[in-house]
Amino acid sequence: MIYDNHNRPITYLRLAVTDRCNLRCFYCMPEEGIKYLHKSQVLTYEEMERLVQVLARLGVQKVRITGGEPFVRAGLMDFLHRLAAIDGLNDISLTTNGVLTAPHVADLAALGVRSVNLSMDTLDRERFRTITRRDELPAVLKTLDALLDAGIQTKINAVVMDGQNTQDLIPLADLTRTMPVDVRFIEEMPFNGEGSHYPVLHWTHKRIIDEIRSHFPTLEKLPDPPFSTSANYQIPGHQGTIGVIAAFSRTFCGTCNRIRMTAQGTLKTCLYDDGVLDVRALLRSGASDEALTAAFLKAFSHRPLNGFEAEKNRSTVTESMSTIGG
């Protein structure tokens, strides 16, 4: 196992396989979309497989595949099979918007994918269309049903946006009554291709919990597992659980075990940093595994203490979450 300069273990890689997405969510990108990377700028699956092999030898045990939307990239399932064969990896997970996912759920279950994070900010079709600028809620609900039928641990991720979907907090939380899902409410972040939508974030993690508790006064705090980004709760008698992720308030940085690799091969040791290592350049210059290892270890030894320090070390935050890797 490897540790950063603040004695935090690094065991979890979030790997973006594409910056492309088939939705245009309000909190992720402007309505006109973003300028996508040329195919030549995106890591090949072979390059991704190699960097995961190097990181697995260093102690990374879990890989979560992200995008953009992972399923817009051809050949994803074949790539997942290759990842599953890497020594040292014991957890392959996926984050998806669910639009194209349902036909692949049986294969994901057979492969041993442990959990899927499903982005779904509302249960109202018209609000879904407004937020995502696409009318795809029926496809997402079909994926939700397929995941539950397959027995895959499912986490519903809902970004809480002032004036957009705050009326959906209670209906989403109520899904846990009959479904074994973890509904996770996420503070909105400024990664939308434009910068922050608000001078002040009104819907903080504290306000989100207060709102849920006003409707479910018996809401109970649960113990949080190691390295959890969410504060976890349960309504007595409900099958599922509720989580709140203070992604903007950044209350969980002290136990962060995650690193990110963007689709173009930029290593981010913090969501809020500006990228700390051009892995694509190393791979395409013929760097040996030993040279890659040394470069990773050097980057991990200069990791910021938290998201505030990382953000302070850059000029502005204007990239899209689709570019970073959700």
Side-chain angles (χ1 to χ4, degrees):
M1 188 176 293
I2 48 174
Y3 294 83
D4 67 12
N5 46 314
H6 303 288
N7 205 36
R8 296 171 295 198
I10 296 174
T11 61
Y12 180 180
L13 169 68
R14 299 179 65 96
L15 175 63
V17 297
T18 181
D19 65 331
R20 297 175 183 268
C21 191
N22 47 2
L23 299 181
R24 295 290 181 272
C25 296
F26 169 83
Y27 54 84
C28 186
M29 62 178 78
E31 185 171 4
E32 66 273 15
I34 59 173
K35 184 178 180 180
Y36 289 128
L37 297 168
H38 186 271
K39 183 178 179 181
S40 63
Q41 297 175 286
V42 177
L43 291 179
T44 66
Y45 282 138
E46 290 75 19
E47 290 169 331
M48 292 182 187
E49 183 180 6
R50 184 178 170 211
L51 70 86
V52 172
Q53 288 171 335
V54 171
L55 288 168
R57 287 195 289 269
L58 285 172
V60 168
Q61 301 165 13
K62 175 177 179 176
V63 173
R64 176 172 294 280
I65 301 301
T66 71
E69 166 49 40
F71 280 105
V72 302
R73 182 164 182 177
L76 178 66
M77 290 306 303
D78 288 340
F79 175 59
L80 294 180
H81 279 276
R82 285 154 57 181
L83 284 187
I86 294 177
D87 288 339
L89 284 189
N90 57 33
D91 190 338
I92 298 175
S93 304
L94 184 79
T95 293
T96 176
N97 63 29
V99 174
L100 302 173
T101 312
H104 303 283
V105 169
D107 289 339
L108 293 173
L111 183 62
V113 169
R114 290 190 175 188
S115 70
V116 170
N117 289 2
L118 181 64
S119 298
M120 188 169 67
D121 304 306
T122 177
L123 295 172
D124 180 271
R125 187 168 180 174
E126 182 57 29
R127 279 198 293 278
F128 186 96
R129 186 197 63 77
T130 299
I131 292 169
T132 68
R133 295 144 176 155
R134 300 291 186 273
D135 184 20
E136 295 286 3
L137 181 60
V140 179
L141 293 174
K142 184 177 180 180
T143 293
L144 174 60
D145 289 339
L147 290 169
L148 295 177
D149 289 344
I152 295 176
Q153 179 187 5
T154 304
K155 297 178 180 180
I156 296 172
N157 285 348
V159 176
V160 180
M161 297 162 281
D162 197 13
Q164 297 282 330
N165 69 335
T166 53
Q167 63 270 61
D168 290 290
L169 266 69
I170 303 310
L172 284 166
D174 200 46
L175 288 179
T176 65
R177 184 187 305 274
T178 57
M179 294 182 179
V181 293
D182 179 12
V183 178
R184 306 196 307 175
F185 297 104
I186 306 172
E187 290 178 342
E188 187 181 349
M189 296 172 287
F191 300 108
N192 52 54
E194 302 171 310
S196 179
H197 284 134
Y198 323 109
V200 176
L201 182 69
H202 295 291
W203 282 90
T204 65
H205 60 110
K206 294 178 181 177
R207 184 176 179 185
I208 293 168
I209 283 298
D210 287 344
E211 176 69 11
I212 295 170
R213 184 168 275 125
S214 71
H215 289 263
F216 300 105
T218 59
L219 184 72
E220 295 178 349
K221 181 72 179 71
L222 298 174
D224 297 326
F227 312 117
S228 177
T229 57
S230 60
N232 300 292
Y233 300 81
Q234 188 166 34
I235 302 164
H238 284 210
Q239 291 189 42
T241 61
I242 293 169
V244 180
I245 300 178
F248 184 80
S249 300
R250 290 163 257 189
T251 60
F252 49 80
C253 296
T255 59
C256 182
N257 65 334
R258 295 158 174 77
I259 54 174
R260 293 172 180 263
M261 189 70 63
T262 71
Q264 64 184 326
T266 301
L267 175 69
K268 293 173 70 73
T269 59
C270 174
L271 172 61
Y272 283 86
D273 73 33
D274 203 16
V276 298
L277 180 65
D278 187 347
V279 178
R280 184 185 66 193
L282 287 171
L283 289 167
R284 296 183 183 180
S285 67
S288 65
D289 285 359
E290 290 74 19
L292 285 171
T293 298
F296 281 130
L297 291 175
K298 182 178 179 180
F300 300 154
S301 70
H302 295 88
R303 198 173 178 215
L305 177 64
N306 53 44
F308 296 105
E309 179 180 305
E311 186 177 6
K312 188 170 65 175
N313 291 335
R314 59 183 300 178
S315 53
T316 57
V317 177
T318 57
E319 67 263 50
S320 162
M321 184 61 82
S322 187
T323 301
I324 296 172

